Amino acid sequence: MTAALHMSGVVKRYGRLRALDGLDLTVPKGSVFGLVGSNGAGKTTAMAVTLGLLAPHAGTIDVLGDGPFSADRHVGRVSLLPQDSRLPPHACVEELLAFYGRLQGLNDHDLRRSIDELLGWVHLQDRRRSAVRTLSHGMARRMAIAQAFLGSPELVLLDEPLNGLDPREAARAREMIRERRGHQTIVISSHH
């Protein structure tokens, strides 16, 4: 089995609290993998440590077989949807997605194709020129989900991705994620 993510003995403390206490985890390439636990179980911390947003106190992390996360080595290969992501309210949906796509290293042709595909995927084609501030909470969440898939990164980390979605859109998002199995590795955190 080839791992997209491997963590061994990872420890992360906040003062005396151990959010991660020797976490061992192997996520196979091409899988849809769930981190399920109650609030405060360490799911968000595990994702933050994976991407170097927080430094672990102990243990090793290997991302896509290239060692610890490095922006230089992993640009365009890894993405994250944070649990409480906030989008700039003044930005236009399409322009903001283009900005995120350029950060992922997409060229103009691939960027346009990816934006068109993903706006269709999350049912926001008709809002492409709208300001983010005009989107409902659920629409903004769907847009944030779309940005995590720009350019089809090999490893996608989704922290509580279905929060704020109505039942129909949540079911649609789950189906879209299942369709990506085998093509991308998707790690989802949830308390459900």
Side-chain angles (χ1 to χ4, degrees):
M1 167 187 67
T2 307
L5 173 62
H6 181 75
M7 304 173 90
S8 180
V10 175
V11 173
K12 176 61 184 173
R13 293 185 300 273
Y14 298 102
R16 293 189 321 227
L17 173 70
R18 281 185 175 229
L20 302 176
D21 191 13
L23 177 63
D24 293 322
L25 177 71
T26 300
V27 179
K29 281 189 179 176
S31 67
V32 175
F33 190 92
L35 294 174
V36 180
S38 61
N39 292 333
K43 302 177 303 291
T44 297
T45 298
M47 289 188 172
V49 167
T50 296
L51 296 182
L53 301 172
L54 294 173
H57 290 97
T60 60
I61 301 169
D62 181 66
V63 178
L64 298 171
D66 285 329
F69 179 82
S70 162
D72 292 335
R73 284 192 315 273
H74 294 102
V75 67
R77 299 178 66 202
V78 179
S79 70
L80 168 69
L81 170 63
Q83 178 179 7
D84 296 318
S85 62
R86 299 276 192 271
L87 302 171
H90 63 279
C92 163
V93 167
E94 185 173 37
E95 291 170 3
L96 187 56
L97 288 174
F99 173 76
Y100 291 138
R102 286 187 195 95
L103 289 177
Q104 283 288 82
L106 293 176
N107 64 43
D108 287 342
H109 176 265
D110 291 339
L111 182 60
R112 279 190 305 276
R113 190 181 78 237
S114 190
I115 289 172
D116 289 344
E117 173 192 358
L118 290 167
L119 286 176
W121 201 56
V122 297
H123 299 136
L124 289 174
Q125 308 94 314
D126 62 330
R127 302 305 296 264
R128 73 184 314 127
R129 290 183 178 73
S130 299
V132 169
R133 72 177 168 273
T134 68
L135 302 178
S136 70
H137 176 76
M139 288 176 178
R141 191 63 177 166
R142 290 181 353 237
M143 181 190 163
I145 291 170
Q147 71 76 31
F149 286 93
L150 281 167
S152 296
E154 295 170 58
L155 176 61
V156 180
L157 304 176
L158 304 173
D159 196 359
E160 299 285 354
L162 305 181
N163 282 357
L165 297 183
D166 65 50
R168 185 189 65 183
E169 290 298 337
R172 171 86 175 123
R174 283 191 296 273
E175 180 58 32
M176 292 182 293
I177 289 168
R178 278 192 292 273
E179 290 170 4
R180 303 251 175 183
R181 183 182 296 141
H183 304 287
Q184 291 172 282
T185 304
I186 302 169
V187 178
I188 303 169
S189 78
S190 178
H191 55 269
H192 296 292

